Amino acid sequence: GTLYHSGRSPEAEAILRDVADNADPVRAPALVGSARQLLAMVSLRGDRYDTMLEQARLGSELFARAGERENDGVMLDALSTARFSLREVDEGYLLAHRALDRLRPYRSSYRLHNQLSHTARTAGADGFARAAVRVQDEGVRVAERTGNPVYVAEARLARARLLAAVGALPRAAADVAVAKEAMGTIADPKVRGWMVAQRQLAEAPPLLGSQPLRAAEALDSVAKYFYDMHAPRLAFPAVVAGAQARLAAGDVERGTARLEEALGILEQRRDSIRMEPRRAAVFEAAREVVDRVAMLKLAAGRTAEALAYLDRGRASLALVGSRMGRATLDMRSKRA
């Protein structure tokens, strides 16, 4: 576990597989379940969703057999995350509900805090913004019961972003203020760095209307933080939002450059994805970026460059072997 969390995943995976393959799951179900739990996390980080689903399923069964309800909830949460990533939305929500049911008795558990935040974030992304706020209201209560300033700040900042999405800016600002106070007691510099990035993400949306350049600078700082962590996938939302902020400020050139950067992140991410449903999710995320760049180039009279971007999307981001993916891009090219 220590090797995994310090970034040495291959070494961790070798040890975990040795335990999972050789320990007796009948006599020590919780031990083997713990090994499979971490193997699921290693696989999730590497986009190996088929392996992750199998390890999480086995881990859930072992924890249920051992009577470890909280750990079973964590495994169900992991399964839910994978199903959402594969765009199997109904199954994802079903598993999220089961995970919350398992974690219900643990009212001050950081694992319940994590699950509520994940469920709220997913619901918000699916367009259920007000429902997401209600879920995160409970997430804030759970975080406060833990007494841990990291979880308090994390939960408040997560709710601040959701509140900003529904236009409740005074409540969002109040959450950011509480989070800042909690962050003042966090000693670990790495954790503080993560929380500062989360705070900047929460502070940017209210600035987009009145101070878009200030919002863009904050979002650029977030993107740099995740780049420095060698996690461009986590930088992607900040890069896209920063591009939108620069476009709102009238800086078309730098806004377009940021959108092109976002497309590059998606193309690099594509190369590590083996499962077609996940490729569909990448295309879905990339489509808006491709469209925005193409429209900007059309507006500037650079028709050939706009068409080249649509061709780039068709060649690089369409589903392999998918008629629907190619047909969709062809239709978009014709409309352009």
Side-chain angles (χ1 to χ4, degrees), residues 22-234:
N22 293 298
D24 186 347
V26 176
R27 297 180 61 185
L31 171 64
V32 182
S34 296
R36 296 202 181 280
Q37 182 182 63
L38 280 168
L39 280 170
M41 297 303 101
V42 170
S43 301
L44 182 63
R45 181 175 288 184
D47 283 334
R48 291 176 285 154
Y49 285 88
D50 48 354
T51 303
M52 183 272 174
L53 288 167
E54 179 65 9
Q55 294 295 340
R57 182 185 64 79
L58 292 170
S60 176
E61 292 174 357
L62 288 162
F63 285 133
R65 185 189 308 165
E68 296 208 357
R69 180 169 179 160
E70 190 176 10
N71 276 322
D72 186 19
V74 174
M75 285 290 82
L76 290 168
D77 179 23
L79 285 166
S80 172
T81 300
R83 294 299 182 188
F84 281 125
S85 297
L86 295 168
R87 291 302 187 266
E88 297 170 3
V89 177
D90 289 344
E91 184 67 15
Y93 277 115
L94 175 63
L95 287 162
H97 185 273
R98 289 176 57 195
L100 288 169
D101 181 64
R102 293 291 192 281
L103 294 168
R104 185 195 301 268
Y106 308 98
R107 307 302 290 173
S108 59
S109 167
Y110 77 93
R111 288 161 166 170
L112 180 57
H113 152 71
N114 288 339
Q115 171 64 24
L116 286 164
S117 293
H118 172 242
T119 303
R121 184 170 60 250
T122 301
D126 280 348
F128 305 116
R130 296 188 185 280
V133 170
R134 293 293 296 275
V135 172
Q136 192 55 28
D137 286 344
E138 179 62 16
V140 168
R141 287 189 285 269
V142 171
E144 289 174 346
R145 282 194 290 264
T146 70
N148 188 318
V150 175
Y151 302 142
V152 171
E154 195 172 48
R156 289 278 184 169
L157 293 173
R159 187 169 67 177
R161 292 195 294 273
L162 294 168
L163 288 167
V166 299
L169 298 184
R171 283 189 65 195
D175 270 346
V176 172
V178 174
K180 283 183 178 179
E181 184 178 349
M183 288 166 60
T185 65
I186 299 173
D188 189 320
K190 290 184 178 180
V191 177
R192 280 184 58 82
W194 173 271
M195 297 313 304
V196 167
Q198 300 305 309
R199 191 203 74 214
Q200 290 172 320
L201 280 173
E203 289 175 329
L207 296 173
L208 287 175
S210 58
Q211 303 178 64
L213 282 179
R214 184 178 165 192
E217 290 169 359
L219 291 162
D220 287 349
S221 176
V222 174
K224 182 181 184 303
Y225 171 78
F226 287 121
Y227 281 139
D228 289 345
M229 285 181 61
H230 307 289
R233 175 177 62 89
L234 298 178

Side-chain angles (χ1 to χ4, degrees), residues 290 293-295 297-298 302-311 336:
V290 173
V293 174
M295 294 305 295
K297 291 186 180 295
L298 281 173
R302 294 149 67 180
T303 306
E305 291 183 29
L307 289 172
Y309 258 88
L310 290 173
D311 284 341

